[in-house]
Amino acid sequence: MTSKPYEIDEKKYDRFAQKNNMIYRRLWDKTLSTYGTMFDKNIENHINSNKEGYSRLDFALVAAGWTVYEKFPFAFAWEREANYKGDYGINWMKSKHDVKDQALFANQVKKMAKFYGASSVGITDVNSNWMYKTGFVRPKSTSESEAKKDVRGGDTSNSILETPIELPQGVNKAIVMAIEMDEDAISTAPAQPAAAAAALAYSKMAFIISCVGEFIRNMGYRAIQCGNDTALSIPLAIDAGLGALGRLGLLITPEYGSRVRICKVFTDMPLESDGPNLDFIDKVNDYCKKCLKCAEECENDAISTDTEPCFGRDSISNNSGVKKYYVDGEKCFEFWIENSSDCGTCIAVCPFSKIKQILTPNEFWEK
């Protein structure tokens, strides 16, 4: 039986600088083969190739899936919009709801999050290890596309990626949510319908955390709505009991495997926390030692085939100090650029993803 969900080498571990994530690193690191490039580099070539799963229809599906995530300015808010009143007023929202039973209230909060669309929900105390050391902070009431316009265009200083990240004092709980990705679309990976499944999950994420954040504020407490920003989502999800870390470097959940995207809302609400799912963590750890399907099917040999996990890999995009199977982010991202989208093959082939039938892209459209 596992006594803890992960092992940390305190001498090696330091909070992660978000600028070293490959999505940001390709903006500033000139040593990368992918420096200055993104998915649009090869899209027209893919469309003109007539390759199944890479048509204009497929790419239109992907790009449209990102719409809410990219365009909704309130998705990642840290506070209520200024001068908001609404049809229901706000005076009754200013006092804090008196929580008499933290366990009961935590279950009600989980019910609320699922009502708004979360597939699974857990609550954890905030572990400062998982907060980004520095990162990108969006301006208030600004959409993703507007906030990152200059960053994506390379027209701004790298210092904008290096803002120190700290939660406001007293914000000590995280409501962590997993959003299921469409089984049929993911099964087509690495073709574009799989990327569309990820895009749609991100837009669902933006909607869900907006509603969850406002619910919390309506109850008189603070809410900080986050996607991939502010903190590392996977260890928070593990702490909240949502699953385990797999060989493929992603969260594996009991219900959906790694067919999920993760979001979280930090709050000062008095909530009973969940614990890690240690039995499931044991199951995944044992299975991943023997099962190499994700590594064998990886399009660019980015997933470790080592028998045992380790405490580090020589890359700034890997945060050493946690015992796990380290994924080669540089190789993974190189294939993303070639593919003109994220991939998803490792997710599709993982037995925990419970995909009943692998579809071709044409079969996806015809089903």
Side-chain angles (χ1 to χ4, degrees), residues 272-336:
E272 181 176 87
S273 290
D274 299 297
N277 188 339
L278 297 180
D279 288 341
F280 185 71
I281 290 171
D282 273 345
K283 180 178 179 179
V284 170
N285 288 345
D286 290 343
Y287 200 95
C288 284
K289 283 185 179 181
K290 303 169 187 174
C291 176
L292 299 175
K293 285 187 178 180
C294 61
E296 292 168 350
E297 297 296 329
C298 178
E299 303 288 342
N300 221 20
D301 298 323
I303 298 175
S304 171
T305 58
D306 293 346
T307 303
E308 296 289 338
C310 65
F311 281 99
R313 179 182 164 267
D314 188 18
S315 168
I316 60 172
S317 290
N318 291 108
N319 208 25
S320 296
V322 178
K323 191 175 184 181
K324 61 182 180 179
Y325 297 103
Y326 283 82
V327 173
D328 189 326
E330 292 88 348
K331 285 185 177 181
C332 183
F333 193 69
E334 284 168 5
F335 181 76
W336 283 22

Side-chain angles (χ1 to χ4, degrees), residues 14-277:
D14 191 15
R15 288 166 58 188
F16 188 58
Q18 190 184 18
K19 70 176 289 185
N20 293 331
N21 179 291
M22 289 302 300
I23 294 292
Y24 287 109
R25 190 176 158 199
R26 54 103 188 175
L27 297 170
W28 60 266
D29 190 345
K30 295 181 180 180
T31 68
L32 294 174
S33 63
T34 52
Y35 170 69
T37 59
M38 200 46 180
F39 298 155
D40 57 340
K41 178 182 179 182
N42 295 316
I43 284 181
E44 291 187 13
N45 290 336
H46 279 304
I47 291 173
N48 293 332
S49 72
N50 295 317
K51 182 179 178 182
E52 183 181 349
Y54 293 83
S55 69
R56 182 169 178 177
L57 181 74
D58 297 300
F59 280 107
L61 187 70
V62 180
W66 285 101
T67 302
V68 176
Y69 178 86
E70 286 283 334
K71 297 296 185 180
F72 182 35
F74 192 61
F76 307 100
W78 283 40
E79 56 190 27
R80 197 190 298 278
E81 287 183 302
N83 303 318
Y84 172 82
K85 290 185 179 179
D87 292 338
Y88 293 89
I90 59 171
N91 286 339
W92 60 275
M93 302 175 184
K94 292 179 179 178
S95 62
K96 290 184 177 181
H97 171 66
D98 184 16
V99 178
K100 294 181 173 62
D101 185 332
Q102 292 190 18
L104 173 62
F105 190 52
N107 286 334
Q108 292 170 330
V109 166
K110 292 177 190 176
K111 171 69 176 180
M112 171 271 299
K114 289 185 176 181
F115 174 80
Y116 289 126
S119 302
S120 54
V121 187
I123 298 170
T124 182
D125 296 343
V126 174
N127 183 336
S128 61
N129 277 330
W130 312 139
M131 302 300 300
Y132 287 135
K133 187 175 184 178
T134 54
F136 176 78
V137 177
R138 296 174 182 82
K140 292 181 180 180
S141 300
T142 308
S143 69
E144 176 81 352
S145 61
E146 182 64 26
K148 291 185 177 176
K149 180 174 61 177
D150 290 341
V151 175
R152 289 167 169 171
D155 299 326
T156 189
S157 167
N158 285 341
S159 63
I160 199 170
L161 305 176
E162 298 172 341
T163 304
I165 304 295
E166 297 292 345
L167 292 177
Q169 188 171 3
V171 174
N172 58 2
K173 298 283 183 178
I175 302 166
V176 190
M177 293 155 280
I179 315 301
E180 180 189 8
M181 294 188 287
D182 183 81
E183 176 184 337
D184 288 342
I186 286 292
S187 79
T188 70
Q192 295 307 313
L200 179 58
Y202 273 98
S203 280
K204 288 180 178 179
M205 170 199 305
F207 171 82
I208 292 165
I209 60 176
S210 298
C211 294
V212 171
E214 280 297 88
F215 173 88
I216 292 170
R217 296 181 188 103
N218 294 347
M219 300 296 280
Y221 294 92
R222 289 176 289 175
I224 295 173
Q225 300 155 199
C226 304
N228 292 342
D229 57 291
T230 309
L232 297 165
S233 293
I234 292 174
L236 283 170
I238 293 171
D239 286 347
L242 297 188
L245 179 63
R247 179 184 287 273
L248 72 175
L250 300 174
L251 179 74
I252 295 178
T253 66
E255 303 87 354
Y256 315 104
S258 51
R259 284 192 299 110
V260 295
R261 294 293 170 180
I262 310 167
C263 54
K264 61 267 187 186
V265 177
F266 295 105
T267 184
D268 57 353
M269 266 184 160
L271 299 167
E272 181 176 87
S273 290
D274 299 297
N277 188 339

